[in-house]
Amino acid sequence: MTMCAIEPSTGHSDTGRADAEHRSRTENPENPENAKNTDRTEGEGGTEHGDGRPAPGCVLTADGSYAARLAPVDGSLVPERWTLDGPEPYAVPLPGGRPEEPGTEVQPLGDGRVLVHRPADGRHDGGRHGSHTFSLLYPAGPGTGELSLGAITCPDEGTRLRLLPPAPCGRRAYAVAVGPRSTALWLVAGDALGPERLAEIPGRCSGGVWLDRTGRMLALDRETGGRTKSVVVDLGRGGEVSPLLQLAPESDDRVLLADPDSGLLLIRSDAPSPGRARLGWGVLGSTLPVRFPECLRLPDCTVTPFAIQPGQALTPESCSVALRVNSTDDADGVLGSWVGVWRPGLRQVRHLPAPEGWLAGTGLWTADGVLRLPCATPAVPCAVALLYPPASERQRGRQQKEDTPHAPHAPHAPSEAEPPVPTSAVGPAMRTTVPVPRPIPLQQAPLGPLVTK
């Protein structure tokens, strides 16, 4: 069996001890634990995004057709490609001439090839300064074919090079080299000439979220002057950088996920509670302030969103969001990782046990609201667990989809010919161009009504 289905009951969201305890804590505003500085939104494990968030167990293409990971085989790490768009998922190992080092990164492309990034100087510190090579791996008969793409050298001490999340188009791959004072953006796959340096961004950048379906608008979290603010990099304008998310002068504001269909944007900021990062949400192209729901504060847990339901045009409140929840409180022995499901239109998080072997932090929603979670166990090394929402929510989602009017020129449905441009980037020269949908006018958003139940 490579597929399993999970459908929670429709009556309540209690799926065990962890769910009951965390619901009781977050739903009771008088609980003294809610006043502690323990509501975290970033993990302490891997740093796939460069900002401390837990690294996912594998990497998915934007359309979910392929996945790639470094699989443990006989004590070594071997690149592995998963095919997920067929009747059943299957994995193909892509071993090279030697085992991969711990600092190696892999990323699938839309054509099934796997990009591999290797620190060429033998360092095991997650890809710091030095030489970095890039290659494409693909099945070739009984063996593995490898196409070398070239190398990037980072001469500065302290420079870290990492891959950005897969581009929406599936044909290109990007990386950032984060130095002491600036960040270089590189195109590392998709150009026959090898790695190409696209832009130099002042400041140290972490994160990385694509804001459109064409792979033109990239959100990065830039640290300058001791504060972190999200900026948007317009690859269609030679890497032009503009402010994107600035809630308060002294706050740290980061973009975590974005869905171009609905305009839903998930952020992390300490604007409503200085010194304590909170999960919040906003809408691309909306003038409404961002919200920080109380139900997303889970004491003694790290909460990381990893997937947004697509295809919900003009209805961001109905989008399902998948959360990776890690317990950090070992006082009662409740440790581990599970799945949370939340929608902006609801005031609760539905806690669900993770399927066996879940590659934590990895998953993909279908437009119909089914969450697909890649899993690997010794007995079944390649599987996908299907998590279904309650029947009432599926029916409500279908009804909303049927009732949504077709609006090809709606502000939340940017066309490929006119990718979005940030509001704060509209200068004198740009005002003479054809108007296009704008990502999010969240600069200097009011903080009074932000915290909601």
Side-chain angles (χ1 to χ4, degrees), residues 111-133:
D111 59 6
R113 294 181 295 177
V114 173
L115 173 69
V116 57
H117 157 225
R118 302 181 179 105
D121 54 6
R123 297 177 65 93
H124 299 170
D125 54 6
R128 292 186 184 274
H129 73 286
S131 180
H132 303 258
T133 64

Side-chain angles (χ1 to χ4, degrees), residues 400-414:
Q400 288 175 340
K401 187 174 182 180
E402 293 172 359
D403 294 343
T404 300
H406 295 285
H409 301 293
H412 299 319

Side-chain angles (χ1 to χ4, degrees), residues 259 294 309 375:
D259 175 59
E294 191 71 19
Q309 181 184 2
C375 305

Side-chain angles (χ1 to χ4, degrees), residues 180-214:
R181 292 171 296 276
S182 64
T183 300
L185 175 63
W186 288 82
L187 173 67
V188 295
D191 190 337
L193 301 179
E196 177 186 358
R197 186 168 178 156
L198 301 178
E200 185 80 13
I201 305 167
R204 297 176 57 84
C205 294
S206 58
V209 175
W210 296 101
L211 300 179
D212 65 341
R213 294 293 184 194
T214 66

